[in-house]
């Protein structure tokens, strides 16, 4: 354990780093490549996503889709090229303020053996009960929370084991709604759900996406219907792009 704790952080922050007060214009990947040791995962990615639009990234498993959005959150840094938000290289940004602008809802939700209330407010301070209930309502989570004997104080088990897959996803969506970040990443957020659960989650996601810049990682056709920009990836490369709106940056 100590050997792992003593490892150097791969993500370094600049001493003179900038602070991102707001997201105003676009996200751009410029000549981005990335690999793990000698395995190349992404190759020369060039992509711009304009504020307020939805970009769907599609392709087979292993194409590099999730790695691409991991780079945006700076879980890794590119080996070549740069990622810019509003023209600023994200490596020069303070990581805390960068991640404050990004909310993620993924297939594997991160939940803890704690109350529903604390799982929804994870990472946030001074959140009122009214705000939590409002977020849960928008996420279609209040439907099942109110049926539980302890309501928002009910403990959901390790990784949310006492909840169904759809209920876990709706808790994660409520958390993203409460965070209110301008950039939203949906990474296969409905792929493991049955039809009834997917319908409830899809309705909640549609509300969450309103007035946000959204990146959807998916292999489902119904997830890309309302997208402004469709990017197809294979073997770590963008093989095609289709713009469906006039306000997409080239």
């Amino acid at each position: 354990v100590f050997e792992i704790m003593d490892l150097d952080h791969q993500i370094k922050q600049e001493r003179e780093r900038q602070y991102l007060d707001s997201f105003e214009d676009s996200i751009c990947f410029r000549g981005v490549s990335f690999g793990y040791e000698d395995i190349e995962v992404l190759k020369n990615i060039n992509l711009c996503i304009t504020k307020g639009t939805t970009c769907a990234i599609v392709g087979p498993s292993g194409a590099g889709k999730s790695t691409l959005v991991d780079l945006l959150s700076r879980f890794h840094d590119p080996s070549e090229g740069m990622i810019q938000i509003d023209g600023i290289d994200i490596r020069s940004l303070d990581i805390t303020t960068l991640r404050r602008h990004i909310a993620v809802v993924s297939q594997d939700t991160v939940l803890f053996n704690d109350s529903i209330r604390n799982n929804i407010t994870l990472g946030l301070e001074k959140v009122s009960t009214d705000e939590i209930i409002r977020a849960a309502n928008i996420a279609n989570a209040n439907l099942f929370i109110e049926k539980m004997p302890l309501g928002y104080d009910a403990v959901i088990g390790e990784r949310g084991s006492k909840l169904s897959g759809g209920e876990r996803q709706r808790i994660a969506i409520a958390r993203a709604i409460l965070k209110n970040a301008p950039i939203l990443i949906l990474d296969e957020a409905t792929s493991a759900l049955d039809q009834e659960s997917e319908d409830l989650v899809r309705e909640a996601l549609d509300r969450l996406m309103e007035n946000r810049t959204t990146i959807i990682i998916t292999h489902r056709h119904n997830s890309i219907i309302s997208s402004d920009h469709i990017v197809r990836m294979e073997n770590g490369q963008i093989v095609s792009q289709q713009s469906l709106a006039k306000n997409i940056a080239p």
Side-chain angles (χ1 to χ4, degrees):
V1 171
F2 286 114
E3 184 178 340
I4 293 172
M5 290 175 65
D6 289 339
L7 289 172
D8 287 336
H9 290 287
Q10 292 184 328
I11 303 301
K12 305 292 185 183
Q13 294 208 72
E14 302 287 345
R15 287 181 179 273
E16 299 296 328
R17 50 186 179 266
Q18 301 182 59
Y19 292 84
L20 189 65
D21 295 323
S22 62
F23 172 50
E24 300 294 341
D25 185 57
S26 63
I27 302 164
C28 287
F29 296 78
R30 301 194 183 278
V32 170
S33 297
F34 175 76
Y36 300 102
E37 297 180 355
D38 58 345
I39 301 173
E40 194 172 34
V41 179
L42 296 173
K43 309 167 191 174
N44 194 32
I45 300 295
N46 290 284
L47 170 66
C48 279
I49 303 166
T50 303
K51 178 183 177 180
T53 61
T54 298
C55 177
I57 302 178
V58 300
S61 297
K65 306 184 300 294
S66 294
T67 302
L68 187 67
V69 293
D70 283 349
L71 294 179
L72 177 59
S73 299
R74 281 205 78 193
F75 297 138
H76 314 286
D77 278 337
S79 52
E80 295 179 16
M82 71 173 70
I83 302 169
Q84 295 175 315
I85 293 181
D86 292 349
I88 304 170
D89 188 335
I90 64 171
R91 286 172 293 197
S92 67
L93 292 172
D94 175 75
I95 289 179
T96 301
T97 59
L98 168 66
R99 292 176 180 168
R100 191 177 295 144
H101 285 74
I102 301 171
V104 181
V105 180
S106 64
Q107 178 179 348
D108 298 316
T109 54
V110 179
L111 298 174
F112 298 93
N113 187 23
D114 204 338
S115 67
I116 290 176
R117 180 188 307 275
N118 288 342
N119 272 283
I120 291 177
T121 61
L122 182 68
L124 302 175
E125 298 178 355
K126 298 179 180 179
V127 180
S128 70
T129 298
D130 286 346
E131 290 175 304
I132 297 170
I133 294 173
R134 177 183 172 275
N137 270 316
I138 295 172
N140 281 340
N142 207 38
L143 298 170
F144 71 86
I145 295 173
E146 288 188 337
K147 295 179 181 178
M148 303 180 79
L150 296 177
Y152 286 86
D153 294 316
V155 176
I156 62 175
E158 198 69 40
R159 296 178 62 85
S161 59
K162 296 180 181 180
L163 303 177
S164 69
E167 289 168 348
R168 289 194 292 269
Q169 287 296 72
R170 282 178 274 166
I171 293 293
I173 292 168
R175 180 191 294 163
I177 289 167
L178 202 57
K179 186 177 182 181
N180 197 29
I183 300 169
L184 174 64
I185 296 171
L186 305 178
D187 191 351
E188 299 284 12
T190 63
S191 62
L193 303 179
D194 58 63
Q195 189 60 54
E196 183 180 356
S197 296
E198 181 177 350
D199 290 343
L200 287 168
V201 170
R202 172 57 54 194
E203 182 180 312
L205 288 174
D206 288 343
R207 294 174 186 158
L208 175 59
M209 290 166 60
E210 289 179 4
N211 303 316
R212 285 182 172 82
T213 304
T214 306
I215 302 173
I216 302 175
I217 306 297
T218 187
H219 63 274
R220 293 191 173 192
H221 176 71
N222 62 350
S223 296
I224 67 176
I225 293 173
S226 59
S227 299
D228 301 298
H229 196 169
I230 300 172
V231 175
R232 181 167 296 278
M233 292 186 65
E234 292 179 10
N235 299 317
Q237 295 178 298
I238 292 176
V239 295
S240 68
Q241 297 190 49
Q242 182 181 4
S243 294
L244 305 177
K246 295 179 181 179
N247 57 343
I248 301 291

